[in-house]
Amino acid sequence: MTTRFAPSPTGLLHLGTVHSALFAWKQARDAGGRFILRIEDIDTGRCLPEFETQILRDLEWLGLDWDGPVLRQSERMEVYNEFLHVLEEGNLVYPCFCTRKEIQAEIAAAPSAPHGPDGPLYPGTCKHLPWQEAKRRMEEGEPYALRLHMDRAVGMTGPLTFNDARFGEVTVDGLSCGDIVLCRKDTPSSYHLSVTVDDAMQFVTHVTRGEDLLHATSIHRILQTLFALPAPNYHHHGLLLDEDGQRLSKREKSMAIAALREDGLSPAEIRALAGFPDEE
Ligand code: GLU
């Protein structure tokens, strides 16, 4: 068994993410398997090396150890690009020139806007652009994103499911996610593309992560199938809540491990607060 913890260094490690880390670490260690650490830092505008350094320090201080080197997604853009080419060759992507503002305006003007798990779906403005026009605009240097042609992708994969230790056999619903972005000018790969590629290339057999990412797994199963990559097992765990039933991550600052440590809490106390008290 191989599990992984894949934080994005956009902030400090907090109790909610430590819960995820310990969840994956414990599964691997209990099974005598491998636990790997991957830094998901493709969004260079939001990820900071200082956060990465602090995350690694906090994990070590908490007593977690990992196998093999830490993989950094920002160093693997060429690999993601190769996979993107596979989709381009298969006519499964299209360039989208819309700005976020234009998309919002289009959605606001529409009589009804279908919603997906992450909000309103892309209305498809650029999906039907004549190829000559799209080509000309790309050649003229207009910034664009590449979107997955979701209906074509779903047509190619046919019906799919994935196995989740908590939710059982889950039916993949790609259409409800819409034409997701696979790369942008400023971020040459997306979370969905890189996580799918890396979980397979790092031979992760059990993907454990918070249930807030359950819907994303539909997208990952579709990409896995298009790339002929194996499907791992999944375990989307519950999220740590505070006394008021709010997600802890919403109070990120007060729950940062660095702050708790300064308050004098020990690693064992923090592990217990993150849902993993030491076994007697
Ligand atoms: N990098 C993602 C995050 O920090 C986690 C992705 C995953 O576990 O698949 O939210």
Side-chain angles (χ1 to χ4, degrees):
M1 154 186 286
T2 299
T3 67
R4 54 33 162 215
F5 175 52
S8 302
T10 52
L12 292 172
L13 202 63
H14 56 82
L15 277 184
T17 34
V18 168
H19 179 72
S20 259
L22 285 167
F23 193 96
W25 178 78
K26 196 168 178 320
Q27 271 215 356
R29 293 294 175 247
D30 285 352
R34 282 168 52 78
F35 170 69
I36 56 176
L37 183 60
R38 183 169 74 225
I39 299 293
E40 302 210 322
D41 57 351
I42 42 174
D43 187 348
T44 46
R46 291 177 60 227
C47 296
L48 295 179
E50 299 89 278
F51 287 135
E52 180 191 321
T53 309
Q54 188 64 43
I55 288 172
L56 297 185
R57 205 178 286 157
D58 287 345
L59 289 174
E60 269 174 336
W61 181 78
L62 283 167
L64 276 93
D65 56 346
W66 48 89
D67 300 301
V70 175
L71 188 117
R72 223 162 263 109
Q73 288 190 327
S74 57
E75 294 166 3
R76 293 171 51 75
M77 292 302 178
E78 275 168 33
V79 177
Y80 309 135
N81 213 14
E82 278 173 32
F83 279 87
L84 198 54
H85 275 313
V86 173
L87 300 178
E88 282 179 303
E89 303 266 290
N91 260 326
L92 289 164
V93 295
Y94 63 90
C96 168
F97 302 91
C98 298
T99 61
R100 288 196 171 94
K101 257 199 177 149
E102 283 165 347
I103 296 174
Q104 275 165 10
E106 178 102 4
I107 289 168
S112 75
H115 273 60
D118 289 327
L121 299 186
Y122 175 63
T125 324
C126 288
K127 192 170 193 161
H128 308 292
L129 277 186
W131 174 239
Q132 283 306 329
E133 182 186 337
K135 190 164 169 270
R136 176 185 54 76
R137 289 170 73 173
M138 285 193 283
E139 281 167 2
E140 284 171 0
E142 198 176 325
Y144 62 92
L146 284 179
R147 289 184 179 273
L148 183 66
H149 225 301
M150 187 58 91
D151 38 2
R152 275 191 206 162
V154 167
M156 270 185 83
T157 64
L160 294 172
T161 58
F162 61 88
N163 288 316
D164 186 278
R166 221 173 125 217
F167 296 98
E169 190 179 25
V170 181
T171 302
V172 165
D173 182 8
L175 293 178
S176 75
C177 301
D179 292 352
I180 51 134
V181 168
L182 292 167
C183 77
R184 292 183 196 283
K185 187 167 169 271
D186 46 352
T187 328
S189 180
S190 69
Y191 160 65
H192 298 302
L193 178 63
S194 31
V195 86
T196 303
V197 169
D198 287 342
D199 281 338
M201 291 184 85
Q202 294 192 287
F203 304 108
V204 173
T205 59
H206 291 72
V207 170
T208 66
R209 58 185 169 211
E211 64 188 12
D212 53 330
L213 285 169
L214 184 68
H215 68 276
T217 304
S218 278
I219 299 169
H220 304 168
R221 279 293 296 127
I222 289 170
L223 292 176
Q224 280 156 11
T225 309
L226 295 173
F227 296 140
L229 296 174
N233 294 298
Y234 289 92
H235 191 148
H236 291 88
H237 60 71
L239 304 175
L240 271 195
L241 304 176
D242 66 11
E243 319 79 62
D244 307 325
Q246 293 289 323
R247 276 178 61 181
L248 275 185
S249 52
K250 301 264 183 269
R251 295 167 38 193
E252 202 153 319
K253 275 223 174 82
S254 56
M255 290 298 158
I257 303 310
L260 295 173
R261 176 165 46 180
E262 266 180 31
D263 286 348
L265 270 74
S266 70
E269 283 168 327
I270 295 183
R271 289 197 300 267
L273 277 180
F276 290 90
D278 287 352
E279 285 151 19
E280 293 295 309

